[in-house]
Amino acid sequence: MYEDKTLKCKECGNDFVFTAGEQEFYAEKGFMNEPQRCKACRDARKNASKQPREMFTAVCAACGGEAKIPFEPKNDRPVYCSDCFAKNKAE
């Protein structure tokens, strides 16, 4: 029913393919307009408004190494580095 279409990105001017699968997805969601930007430009536009995440440094409760975490650590709960966290999650 749907066929791939080649569209021109209004941001960078490059051609991109609006695939049959994407067209079907747009129809299922009820979107009336075709995309105006290529995937790279859509992603760049989406990420431009995101604030960088503040990271905190703590001591890993398991190995004593440095742990970078996206929240402020509290003394009543243990904090784990990413390696130790993955090991605990696997167990």
Side-chain angles (χ1 to χ4, degrees):
M1 179 174 170
Y2 296 103
E3 292 183 18
D4 291 356
K5 290 183 184 178
T6 301
L7 304 175
K8 186 172 285 298
C9 178
K10 79 175 199 176
E11 195 87 18
C12 66
N14 292 331
D15 289 341
F16 67 97
V17 177
F18 185 36
T19 66
E22 290 171 329
Q23 292 174 50
E24 189 174 343
F25 173 79
Y26 271 54
E28 287 175 8
K29 295 293 182 181
F31 299 149
M32 303 301 292
N33 300 320
E34 295 177 341
Q36 297 183 7
R37 292 175 181 83
C38 65
K39 174 104 171 90
C41 289
R42 285 195 312 261
D43 290 345
R45 193 172 160 95
K46 188 188 315 181
N47 292 330
S49 64
K50 289 185 179 179
Q51 295 291 330
R53 189 176 231 182
E54 183 179 1
M55 299 297 280
F56 297 89
T57 303
V59 176
C60 176
C63 70
E66 183 180 279
K68 294 268 186 190
I69 52 176
F71 57 89
E72 193 165 2
K74 296 182 178 164
N75 292 334
D76 62 334
R77 306 222 29 191
V79 174
Y80 301 101
C81 66
S82 56
D83 292 336
C84 292
F85 182 79
K87 287 177 192 171
N88 285 341
K89 192 173 183 180
E91 291 175 358

